Amino acid sequence: MATSTEARKPPLQLVAKLRRVLGGQAGWSGFVLQIVFVAALVWIGYEIVENARSNLAAQKIASGFGFLSNTAGFAVSQALIPYSESDTYLQVFFVGLVNTLVVSLIGIFFATIIGFIVGLGRMSPNWLLARIAGGYVELIRNLPLLFQILFWYLAVLATLPQPRQSISLLDSFFLSNRGFGLPKPIGTEAFTAFAVAVIVAIIAALVLRVYARQQLFAKGRVIAVWPATLGLLVGLPLLTALVLGTPVTFEYPVLRGFNFSGGLRVLPEFVALTLALSTYTAAFIAEIVRAGVQSVHKGQSEAGASLGLSRGATLRLIVVPQAMRVILPPLTNQYLNLTKNSSLAVAIGYPDLVSVFAGTTMSQTGQAIEIIAITMAVYLVISLVTSAIMSAYGWRISRSMGA
């Protein structure tokens, strides 16, 4: 049987060829193709901008960011910074941004605590505790986050009593379906001196801690700094209050008509969103913690036990510090996800950045491109700052462990 000696052509491999061209590995022909590629991108961007500009002109909507100085004219249910209807859209942006940051930070705080507790609970030798922790993880992370937000808002908080029948504690704290009312602290003339005393006490306590660590590593001498630290943190502010007077007074919520007035009021929307974000993200953090702890060699736990350390002390002093290098990267992703998921607040009317700025402000002004661009930039900056902080923390851990 005759066999063909003609060489067969290699396959085209378009993806590999495009990768060589874009990577500058195809000589002058690749260089020319890269210029063509950049020119095509510029042309597409130009067409997009021109199309948007012509559409805005057709709708008689002025482009630019001048609308930020116009009066907003609408109320916001929760503003943690001074705001009224006569303020500008720029102030609305800051109100929404602060609300987003607050709910994200509180959610990250509680999600971290719950996640670590559940993650360590899954590895507990206690059969019941491990099964409860495992059930929590499997249930929570397999339910949509939006469903959980609506569950806390409609099925839990909406069933609380009316303000007239609110649950009262010491006639100062009131829980009803309108939210949680609590006393509002108001600073007096002595507040500045009191705050300075607290800051000085914290700095002095940190200096003492650093000195004690230096003595421990340099001379092996253990210095108990907690009595002095406790005295500084409690004694110095207390002494300032005794000399200069009470630093704060409180304004209590009072029932007037069908609702409370005065004091501080935590909206049920805020509580529902915080609970949902915390518990949902904690389920993922728990699995990250479990994987990180299991990545540490079993011999480390056995070494701790041989030193007479309890299981808790072994985890706290030996295992978890080593596991943090594995935990931190995926933990950062969960923090970023929680911040971005806070935009689901619009489903229950919590006035976050997306709700009051990318929602109400955009519908009133029609400045869709500018508002969407600002909102995208804000979330990008938040993500980059979060990543930078977590990277710095990871670098500090690696440095302290000599890695």
Side-chain angles (χ1 to χ4, degrees):
M1 186 171 96
T3 58
S4 175
T5 57
E6 184 179 355
R8 291 184 300 175
K9 292 183 178 179
L12 191 54
Q13 296 184 341
L14 283 175
V15 175
K17 188 173 183 179
L18 181 62
R19 187 180 302 167
R20 287 197 301 273
V21 168
L22 297 180
Q25 301 172 356
W28 284 105
S29 61
F31 183 71
V32 172
L33 286 176
Q34 288 186 58
I35 293 178
V36 173
F37 180 71
V38 172
L41 288 179
V42 172
W43 175 75
I44 292 173
Y46 173 78
E47 288 295 328
I48 291 174
V49 172
E50 282 300 310
N51 183 55
R53 185 177 298 175
S54 61
N55 287 336
L56 290 175
Q59 298 177 15
K60 298 180 179 179
I61 298 176
S63 59
F65 298 93
F67 72 95
L68 291 172
S69 60
N70 296 338
T71 302
F74 63 89
V76 177
S77 58
Q78 176 173 304
L80 301 177
I81 60 176
Y83 173 77
S84 66
E85 296 182 15
S86 60
D87 284 325
T88 63
Y89 288 117
L90 183 61
Q91 190 69 5
V92 173
F93 164 75
F94 286 121
V95 169
L97 176 60
V98 171
N99 286 346
T100 295
L101 292 177
V102 169
V103 76
S104 299
L105 290 175
I106 295 177
I108 287 173
F109 175 76
F110 285 111
T112 305
I113 294 176
I114 300 172
F116 269 77
I117 293 175
V118 175
L120 296 177
R122 288 205 69 180
M123 296 176 292
S124 172
N126 186 308
W127 184 87
L128 180 60
L129 179 60
R131 295 303 178 277
I132 292 175
Y136 168 85
V137 171
E138 296 301 329
L139 175 65
I140 296 297
R141 72 174 183 172
N142 286 298
L143 294 176
L145 176 57
L146 180 58
F147 170 79
Q148 297 187 39
I149 294 174
L150 295 176
F151 167 78
W152 286 109
Y153 184 62
L154 299 176
V156 177
L157 298 177
T159 59
L160 290 172
Q162 297 288 331
R164 288 183 178 278
Q165 292 80 33
S166 61
I167 303 171
S168 173
L169 178 63
L170 302 175
D171 286 334
S172 301
F173 301 87
F174 301 93
L175 182 63
S176 68
N177 59 4
R178 299 291 183 88
F180 181 54
L182 65 162
K184 177 182 180 181
I186 300 175
T188 63
E189 294 180 352
F191 178 77
T192 303
F194 181 82
V196 171
V198 171
I199 294 173
V200 170
I202 293 174
I203 294 175
L206 292 175
V207 171
L208 276 177
R209 182 175 181 272
V210 172
Y211 174 74
R213 287 176 62 87
Q214 288 177 345
Q215 292 296 310
L216 176 63
F217 288 110
K219 302 179 180 179
R221 187 175 61 171
V222 179
I223 301 176
V225 297
W226 69 266
T229 302
L230 186 63
L232 283 170
L233 295 177
V234 177
L236 191 57
L238 181 61
L239 180 63
T240 306
L242 291 175
V243 173
L244 300 178
T246 306
V248 293
T249 59
F250 292 95
E251 178 187 271
Y252 292 90
V254 178
L255 182 62
R256 299 184 188 280
F258 297 101
N259 203 353
F260 287 94
S261 64
L264 287 177
R265 187 163 68 97
V266 181
L267 295 177
E269 292 83 3
F270 174 83
V271 178
L273 183 64
T274 304
L275 284 171
L277 289 174
S278 302
T279 53
Y280 179 76
T281 309
F284 294 90
I285 292 177
E287 288 298 273
I288 293 171
V289 171
R290 184 169 69 95
V293 170
Q294 290 180 340
S295 70
V296 179
H297 195 275
K298 188 179 179 182
Q300 299 294 311
S301 301
E302 295 173 348
S306 66
L307 293 173
L309 297 177
S310 64
R311 175 179 170 79
T314 303
L315 277 174
R316 182 169 53 86
L317 299 174
I318 298 177
V319 177
V320 172
Q322 297 183 68
M324 286 303 293
R325 291 185 295 183
V326 178
I327 291 173
L328 276 182
L331 184 64
T332 304
N333 288 335
Q334 292 305 318
Y335 288 171
L336 301 183
N337 287 337
L338 188 148
T339 304
K340 290 180 286 188
N341 287 336
S342 67
S343 61
L344 291 174
V346 69
I348 56 175
Y350 176 71
D352 75 324
L353 181 66
V354 174
S355 177
V356 298
F357 189 66
T360 307
T361 300
M362 188 169 70
S363 65
Q364 287 192 357
T365 62
Q367 307 285 156
I369 296 176
E370 293 84 354
I371 290 176
I372 294 299
I374 293 174
T375 307
M376 290 170 60
V378 166
Y379 279 103
L380 176 62
V381 169
I382 293 174
S383 297
L384 292 177
V385 170
T386 305
S387 299
I389 294 173
M390 296 299 288
S391 297
Y393 181 58
W395 173 80
R396 183 175 178 275
I397 288 179
S398 299
R399 185 185 178 191
S400 64
M401 298 183 66

